[in-house]
Amino acid sequence: MANDVQLTIVLQGLQQAVNDLNRVTGSLGGIKQAGDVSGSSLSAIGTHLKTIIAAAVGTVSAYKLVTGVFRETIESERAVAQLEARLKSTGNTVRLTSRQLQNMAAALQRTTTFSDEQVLSAQTLLLTFDKIGRDVFPRAVESILDISAALGTDLNSAALMVGKALQDPERGMQQLRRAGIILSEQLTKTIKHLFEMGHTAEAQALILDELAKRSGGAATALRDTLGGALAGLKNAFS
């Protein structure tokens, strides 16, 4: 099966052939007769050739469209399959269904530049951190998107950063510090104390509050730019 590059080359070649035929058949109007072949006959031949080539161009374009649909479908199914496998392997400690997570990803695609497949991938990675509960998880995903947009890093790197901070604040906050997100000493002590006392969700909420102060809304703001709008349009078509 031809890849996208090969198909593009074919389309360009066919279009060039159409352009060449236009020039040739345009000049045939001045030909009155050449042997047994008249100028009008040559023009008719050129017209038929152009019709055939135009049909070929349409066929290749349709093929690219169909293969694009299949590719997007395969990527989406792969992302969902990986998500569901992770839910199963972790015993669904987050207590969210695959459908709920897919709906979350679709909603975030509509307001950011990230595709739902990218969000699903980040969710799948975040699920490996089993101390992140149902109430914290949606905020954590939004924080991942904001950090990625603000720092210009990929979603999976941002997911690891946020996941580690919420799973093990003492170590995770060191990684945040290396990324330029520095929490105050007092807040760090408070978070560590809450975590040690078993108030995990409360400690995680403080971390997410602080992350929101640094990068909250970055993913949505990026969506409101021209480039973001074009990326959103592309994701919608996909």
Side-chain angles (χ1 to χ4, degrees), residues 213-228:
K213 292 178 183 178
R214 310 301 178 89
S215 59
T220 303
L222 191 60
R223 177 65 172 77
D224 291 335
T225 65
L226 176 59

Side-chain angles (χ1 to χ4, degrees), residues 148-186:
S148 176
L151 300 183
T153 186
D154 63 277
L155 277 188
N156 286 348
S157 296
L160 284 173
M161 190 183 305
V162 173
K164 289 178 180 179
L166 298 178
Q167 181 81 2
D168 185 351
E170 186 172 3
R171 294 182 179 180
M173 286 188 288
Q174 293 178 2
Q175 186 170 355
L176 291 177
R177 188 177 296 109
R178 288 194 292 270
I181 304 174
I182 303 174
L183 279 61
S184 69
E185 184 177 351
Q186 180 58 48

Side-chain angles (χ1 to χ4, degrees), residues 174-201:
Q174 293 178 2
Q175 186 170 355
L176 291 177
R177 188 177 296 109
R178 288 194 292 270
I181 304 174
I182 303 174
L183 279 61
S184 69
E185 184 177 351
Q186 180 58 48
L187 181 60
T188 300
K189 289 181 179 179
T190 301
I191 292 171
K192 182 180 178 181
H193 175 71
L194 288 171
F195 206 83
E196 290 174 347
M197 296 297 293
H199 302 300
T200 305

Side-chain angles (χ1 to χ4, degrees), residues 5-19 57:
V5 175
Q6 292 170 325
L7 288 173
T8 299
I9 293 173
V10 170
L11 281 173
Q12 291 173 344
L14 290 172
Q15 187 58 57
Q16 183 60 49
V18 171
N19 294 338
V57 170

Side-chain angles (χ1 to χ4, degrees), residues 32-211:
K32 297 183 182 291
Q33 193 168 5
D36 294 331
V37 182
S38 67
S40 59
S41 297
L42 288 174
S43 296
I45 294 172
T47 299
H48 287 310
L49 286 174
K50 287 194 292 183
T51 301
I52 293 171
I53 292 175
V57 170
T59 300
V60 175
S61 298
Y63 175 76
K64 288 190 68 175
L65 176 61
V66 171
T67 55
V69 170
F70 277 114
R71 182 171 59 250
E72 293 293 341
T73 301
I74 290 171
E75 289 178 0
S76 179
E77 288 183 344
R78 183 186 296 116
V80 172
Q82 291 176 342
L83 177 75
E84 293 179 345
R86 186 61 52 82
L87 284 171
K88 183 177 180 180
S89 66
T90 58
N92 194 6
T93 55
V94 74
R95 294 187 294 115
L96 289 169
T97 67
S98 172
R99 176 53 58 188
Q100 288 173 319
L101 292 171
Q102 290 179 59
N103 289 340
M104 184 191 305
L108 290 170
Q109 174 182 272
R110 289 192 291 270
T111 58
T112 70
T113 60
F114 300 104
S115 69
D116 55 351
E117 288 88 1
Q118 289 176 308
V119 178
L120 287 170
S121 178
Q123 289 174 331
T124 300
L125 188 54
L126 193 62
L127 287 171
T128 60
F129 302 97
D130 58 6
K131 292 183 180 179
I132 302 175
R134 177 190 181 94
D135 295 332
V136 174
F137 195 89
R139 284 194 66 195
V141 174
E142 292 180 6
S143 182
I144 289 169
L145 270 60
D146 286 333
I147 288 177
S148 176
L151 300 183
T153 186
D154 63 277
L155 277 188
N156 286 348
S157 296
L160 284 173
M161 190 183 305
V162 173
K164 289 178 180 179
L166 298 178
Q167 181 81 2
D168 185 351
E170 186 172 3
R171 294 182 179 180
M173 286 188 288
Q174 293 178 2
Q175 186 170 355
L176 291 177
R177 188 177 296 109
R178 288 194 292 270
I181 304 174
I182 303 174
L183 279 61
S184 69
E185 184 177 351
Q186 180 58 48
L187 181 60
T188 300
K189 289 181 179 179
T190 301
I191 292 171
K192 182 180 178 181
H193 175 71
L194 288 171
F195 206 83
E196 290 174 347
M197 296 297 293
H199 302 300
T200 305
E202 190 175 347
Q204 292 171 337
L206 288 177
I207 294 173
L208 292 173
D209 287 343
E210 193 65 21
L211 292 178

